[in-house]
Amino acid sequence: MRRPLFAATLAVLLLTGGWWAWNATARPQVDVAVAVVDFGPVAVPVTRVVALRNRGRAPLHVAGISTSCGCTTAAVDITTVPPGRAARLTITFDPDAHGPEEGPASHAVYVRTNDPGLPEAEIEVRAVVVKRASQ
């Protein structure tokens, strides 16, 4: 009579312990859909939306977003991304804010998260600034 009770108790402990071990290793994992956003030749502000996915098993928290130049802006639609879901990261490049120079431009968007493996993801933003003709 005692063996079935022991076996059942052991099974519950092992299953519960297995859940705790799985849960203890649950962590967020950021995955940016692209490493480079290339706008090509631009004379007016342009925008692109990039998926910011959470491939982990815990909520991904976006702690902050910054850019390397005032001509590039970025914003995310949600700051907590559930496991298996994605946020929309909107990146805008404004050639008028870049300055009077024409030619290639390369900047970066930095996304800081609670992913222990990649606390700061970087997306390169490229464009070729073409000034509009005077009207």
Side-chain angles (χ1 to χ4, degrees):
M1 288 274 180
R2 291 187 179 172
R3 286 187 184 233
L5 179 60
F6 175 76
T9 303
L10 182 61
V12 168
L13 288 175
L14 289 174
L15 290 174
T16 305
W19 180 84
W20 282 108
W22 178 85
N23 195 39
T25 60
R27 60 180 185 227
Q29 182 182 7
V30 66
D31 179 26
V32 181
V34 297
V36 178
V37 172
D38 192 341
F39 288 111
V42 294
V44 297
V46 288
T47 299
R48 179 138 334 130
V49 176
V50 174
L52 187 68
R53 297 193 185 289
N54 180 3
R55 301 248 186 240
R57 296 189 315 220
L60 176 73
H61 299 287
V62 178
I65 298 174
S66 59
T67 63
S68 63
C69 179
C71 62
T72 305
T73 58
V76 68
D77 66 339
I78 57 174
T79 57
T80 300
V81 185
R85 304 290 303 270
R88 294 169 45 94
L89 177 66
T90 303
I91 300 171
T92 301
F93 177 79
D94 183 353
D96 292 331
H98 186 262
E101 311 87 31
E102 286 189 310
S106 181
H107 301 290
V109 173
Y110 305 101
V111 181
R112 289 177 304 287
T113 71
N114 64 328
D115 177 349
L118 184 63
E120 185 173 81
E122 181 178 339
I123 302 166
E124 184 180 357
V125 178
R126 297 179 191 160
V128 177
V129 177
V130 178
K131 295 298 178 183
R132 292 177 274 195
S134 300
Q135 296 183 10

